Amino acid sequence: DALFRKKDPAFYHDLEEVLISADIGPVVAQQLVLDLQEWEKNHPEATAEDSLSHLEARMAQEFPSSQPIWEKESPHGPQVLLLVGVNGVGKTTTTGKLAAYFKSQGRTVILGAADTFRAAAIDQLRRWGEQLEIPVVHQKPGADPASVAFDTVRAARARKLDMALIDTAGRLQNKHNLMAELQKIGSVIRKEDPETPVEILLVLDATIGQNAHSQLEEFRKITPLSGLVLTKLDGTSKGGVAVALAQKYRLPVRFIGVGEKATDLLPFDPGLFARSILR
Amino acid sequence: SLTGRLEGIFHKLTGKGGLSESAVEDTLRELRVALLEADVSLAVVKEFTEALRARLVGQAVKAGLTPAQQIITEVYKEIVHILGDHRANIALASKPPTIVFMMGLQGSGKTTTSAKIALHFKTQGRRVLLVASDLARLAAVDQLRILGEQIGVPVVLPSEGVTRPQDMVASVRKRILEGMYEIVIVDTAGRLSIDEELMIELKNLKSLYNPKECLLVVDAMQGQEAVNVSRGFDQSIGVDGVIFTKLDGDTRGGAVLSIRSVIKKPIKFVGSGEKLDRLEPFIPERMASRIIG
Ligand SMILES: Nc1nc2c(ncn2[C@@H]2O[C@H](COP(=O)(O)OP(=O)(O)OP(=O)(O)O)[C@@H](O)[C@H]2O)c(=O)[nH]1
Ligand SMILES: Nc1nc2c(ncn2[C@@H]2O[C@H](COP(=O)(O)OP(=O)(O)OP(=O)(O)O)[C@@H](O)[C@H]2O)c(=O)[nH]1
Ligand SMILES: [Mg+2]
Ligand SMILES: [Mg+2]
């Protein structure tokens, strides 16, 4: 008990502030600090350094580590990745980065430009395709995105390609018509072949604060999400809200974005992520 | 809601007289959580609650109001006051052209907002020119070109072989004189405030164009780093005004309060949708209610 008092109250106060400043959120930040104090009661000899390591491990453990479809055998037909999320978070860039990533692993990839709404969205993905020498399925601006998604999976199947990566338009989660459109894209992909292994990745921008909760909540209502991508971690934002999301929704973070180039994509490492929040 | 939680605090109290110190402490604790959940930055929340503590302790409760209602009204009025109570608009240069710079983090809405501002001034009868100065992002130039076509505003595109924004300045100046444009809006590439090289590029570009207004475009759903980022842009480049985008979403928008209270620059407009007519004046009262939730 005397050792416990050695860590003065400022330690816990500062720790809570570090967590809050990392966008973990006030409730989860307080809960993590209280849990830590509880753990310390059972480990009275723990130093401040021990406590930080424990907290790091504790935060890292929140992230489930289910195997993605691309690490499993795919008996027939292409695996499909669908990238969704609100406006400007990095979906198109991440689609390009994923294409480069899978191609570097020796897989054959095709892209689908299913953002048929925003100015030059199709051009942007086609430019990525040109840079990476990967084909891009596209239609005219204004075309039905579900139709583009369908064509992309069909083309991947016909050409016996390993992966189809489909980019979609940004949409704010409170736009009911846009969310309905997304639901249709998902169901059309399943209709093309219900056996197709599909991962639907919600792309989250690390600079976003607590609104990430509403984004995840609303997107998962209309389409079964299989994982998250956290972008822009090369900036000063820590993306700590991902810890709260992991606790609540148990979705794995598949990758993180750390820049604007094709190679600026890393598989998610929960330990490194937790450390970057605390140090 | 916050009102509900505050009612809960005062429901337990039966004492008459002014607001007791312990009730105020409980209130400030609830308020702190509410503001942090709304993405108001920690430093601003502390400052805000400190100032509020001094005013609330011993304060008499007005007739017809519950203590919770009184406190919420106090909080609301203070937020409205910080957010600024005058109509900010883009200042025009004493003689044309008025050059406006759009800058900010990646994906914040600069290109879309450039076109919105162009439409805003065109509708007022001004001669407007857009400059596609983002030569980094794939198809960024195409994006602004297409938006310009949609609203009938000419866009200066980089000439063949031009790869650096500063190499466009001469041809832009020429276009301005030839077309006698009154308002020139320069769209720039998204960048991190901690990217020294790109901040130097932007500073250099600013000295070449000498813009009347440098506008920081900020995504309203920004979290705790909103203050550091905006302060970074203000210190490196100089911010004359801020535009918050994507306010048609359901974010509480605490970043608006944080940025306004720290860098103290006027909020010129808000973006409230993807279509180019979705540019609105900033209304502090609406924002205050939204932040309080
Ligand atoms: N620094 C940094 N910038 C990124 C990262 N990922 C994407 N970006 C940038 O963020 C901006 C938006 O990226 P996009 O890929 O167009 O985003 P989006 O989600 O497809 O946008 P919409 O389709 O308009 O909704 C671009 O300037 C990208 O270069 C990242 O990990 N780090
Ligand atoms: N719903 C909504 N979407 C917006 C608003 N402003 C911009 N957007 C969308 O946000 C996304 C990003 O907008 P851009 O204009 O490309 O952003 P940017 O800052 O130019 O991006 P970079 O040049 O890559 O840094 C696009 O999908 C826009 O349509 C807004 O006020 N509301
Ligand atoms: Mg996109
Ligand atoms: Mg842009």
Side-chain angles (χ1 to χ4, degrees):
Chain A
D1 201 87
L3 255 172
F4 184 76
R5 270 189 232 106
K6 251 195 205 172
K7 255 184 246 85
D8 80 85
F11 174 79
Y12 302 103
H13 175 76
D14 291 348
L15 192 50
E16 193 171 337
E17 296 212 335
V18 165
L19 295 174
I20 289 172
S21 300
D23 284 317
I24 281 191
V27 173
V28 175
Q30 181 179 53
Q31 169 227 317
L32 285 172
V33 172
L34 289 176
D35 286 357
L36 175 65
Q37 289 174 326
E38 201 56 33
W39 176 84
E40 284 174 347
K41 285 207 182 84
N42 298 327
H43 298 82
E45 77 296 343
T47 63
E49 181 55 43
D50 292 330
S51 291
L52 286 182
S53 297
H54 168 75
L55 185 55
E56 258 172 40
R58 181 63 224 294
M59 291 202 298
Q61 280 160 19
E62 295 291 8
F63 294 93
S65 58
S66 67
Q67 213 183 11
I69 57 175
W70 52 88
E71 283 177 16
K72 302 191 189 130
E73 273 306 305
S74 196
H76 75 153
Q79 298 181 335
V80 178
L81 263 64
L82 185 69
L83 283 98
V84 307
V86 302
N87 305 71
V89 295
K91 299 176 294 300
T92 304
T93 304
T94 302
T95 304
K97 291 175 180 179
L98 284 170
Y101 175 79
F102 290 124
K103 185 174 177 183
S104 73
Q105 291 184 335
R107 298 172 204 256
T108 51
V109 182
I110 193 164
L111 301 181
D115 176 355
T116 58
F117 170 73
R118 206 209 67 211
I122 297 170
D123 299 302
Q124 187 184 2
L125 193 68
R126 290 184 68 185
R127 295 280 303 273
W128 271 100
E130 282 164 23
Q131 276 194 357
L132 303 172
E133 295 182 0
I134 287 176
V136 182
V137 172
H138 62 91
Q139 294 178 19
K140 285 201 165 58
D144 176 12
S147 158
V148 178
F150 183 93
D151 284 359
T152 307
V153 184
R154 264 296 146 88
R157 194 177 305 288
R159 301 184 212 183
K160 297 197 171 23
L161 303 175
D162 298 321
M163 310 202 66
L165 311 185
I166 303 173
D167 180 28
T168 64
R171 66 202 71 225
L172 297 185
Q173 66 273 26
N174 56 339
K175 306 282 169 106
H176 300 297
N177 58 329
L178 298 182
M179 296 305 270
E181 175 189 88
L182 184 59
Q183 190 161 48
K184 181 166 168 238
I185 294 172
S187 60
V188 157
I189 292 173
R190 275 189 291 282
K191 272 211 202 88
E192 193 276 339
D193 182 344
E195 299 290 303
T196 305
V198 181
E199 282 236 358
I200 303 184
L201 301 180
L202 178 66
V203 181
L204 292 174
D205 184 331
T207 68
I208 298 171
Q210 300 308 303
N211 192 252
H213 282 273
S214 168
Q215 291 177 24
L216 189 24
E217 184 68 25
E218 296 306 317
F219 271 83
R220 71 193 275 273
K221 275 187 196 153
I222 54 115
T223 190
L225 299 174
S226 43
L228 307 176
V229 177
L230 197 55
T231 63
K232 308 182 193 171
L233 278 171
D234 48 319
T236 57
S237 293
K238 302 284 183 167
V241 66
V243 176
L245 296 178
Q247 260 188 10
K248 196 165 166 197
Y249 297 101
R250 317 296 312 145
L251 272 178
V253 178
R254 296 300 194 198
F255 296 96
I256 61 172
V258 291
E260 303 192 64
K261 304 193 305 297
T263 48
D264 291 327
L265 183 81
L266 301 172
F268 181 67
D269 180 328
L272 280 182
F273 182 69
R275 183 156 321 142
S276 78
I277 289 176
L278 290 182
R279 316 280 173 163
Chain B
S1 75
L2 181 62
T3 313
R5 289 191 285 203
L6 295 193
E7 295 284 3
I9 290 171
F10 291 95
H11 188 66
K12 303 200 215 85
L13 308 177
T14 51
K16 290 201 195 61
L19 300 172
S20 75
E21 207 172 317
S22 73
V24 168
E25 276 316 305
D26 288 347
T27 295
L28 292 182
R29 203 166 305 128
E30 288 293 342
L31 181 63
R32 175 185 147 106
V33 170
L35 292 178
L36 289 173
E37 284 182 336
D39 292 319
V40 181
S41 84
L42 185 58
V44 172
V45 171
K46 284 188 196 173
E47 207 174 312
F48 189 90
T49 50
E50 277 318 299
L52 200 60
R53 171 183 284 117
R55 291 213 304 286
L56 288 182
V57 175
Q59 190 182 86
V61 183
K62 293 194 177 63
L65 285 182
T66 67
Q69 287 169 339
Q70 174 142 324
I71 290 171
I72 296 276
T73 307
E74 194 77 29
V75 170
Y76 170 85
K77 286 216 249 95
E78 182 59 13
I79 293 179
V80 169
H81 173 69
I82 295 172
L83 291 180
D85 33 34
H86 58 277
R87 296 182 50 94
N89 208 331
I90 292 179
L92 296 179
S94 49
K95 64 182 181 62
T98 298
I99 300 183
V100 179
F101 248 42
M102 309 294 286
M103 60 189 184
L105 291 179
Q106 291 88 348
S108 60
K110 298 173 293 300
T111 303
T112 308
T113 307
S114 299
K116 288 180 181 181
I117 294 176
L119 179 61
H120 168 83
F121 280 112
K122 177 178 183 205
T123 311
Q124 290 182 354
R126 300 284 180 183
R127 297 183 56 76
V128 188
L129 182 67
L130 281 163
V131 179
S133 191
D134 176 358
L135 308 189
R137 166 176 153 154
L138 295 178
V141 169
D142 295 296
Q143 186 184 2
L144 193 63
R145 177 181 55 77
I146 292 168
L147 294 181
E149 283 167 9
Q150 286 178 3
I151 56 174
V153 171
V155 183
V156 184
L157 308 175
S159 322
E160 188 68 43
V162 168
T163 56
R164 300 181 315 165
Q166 58 259 43
D167 297 336
M168 282 182 71
V169 181
S171 62
V172 172
R173 289 252 172 245
K174 189 158 172 285
R175 275 291 286 277
I176 294 173
L177 290 175
E178 287 171 356
M180 300 197 294
Y181 292 105
E182 302 172 84
I183 315 267
V184 180
I185 299 157
V186 182
D187 180 27
T188 68
R191 67 200 66 219
L192 300 176
S193 54
I194 53 170
D195 188 326
E196 284 197 28
E197 192 179 325
L198 286 187
M199 292 308 270
I200 289 170
E201 174 197 81
L202 192 58
K203 204 174 198 157
N204 183 30
L205 204 64
K206 179 181 180 179
S207 64
L208 291 172
Y209 277 116
N210 195 14
K212 179 85 177 70
E213 295 248 357
C214 280
L215 301 182
L216 182 66
V217 179
V218 180
D219 191 327
M221 56 183 110
Q222 254 211 310
Q224 290 289 315
E225 280 296 305
V227 166
N228 290 332
V229 169
S230 55
R231 195 163 31 207
F233 274 94
D234 194 24
Q235 286 172 352
S236 302
I237 313 293
V239 170
D240 297 301
V242 187
I243 298 181
F244 287 97
T245 62
K246 308 177 202 173
L247 273 164
D248 46 321
D250 64 15
T251 188
R252 296 267 291 277
V256 179
L257 178 61
S258 307
I259 290 176
R260 172 69 185 153
S261 80
V262 171
I263 69 168
K264 300 186 169 47
K265 297 299 163 83
I267 298 168
K268 301 276 177 170
F269 290 107
V270 305
S272 57
E274 287 194 80
K275 300 229 164 70
L276 300 183
D277 59 354
R278 306 286 349 130
L279 185 75
E280 297 178 356
F282 172 67
I283 301 179
E285 290 79 6
R286 251 189 240 158
M287 197 70 225
S289 307
R290 183 175 181 148
I291 290 171
I292 293 171

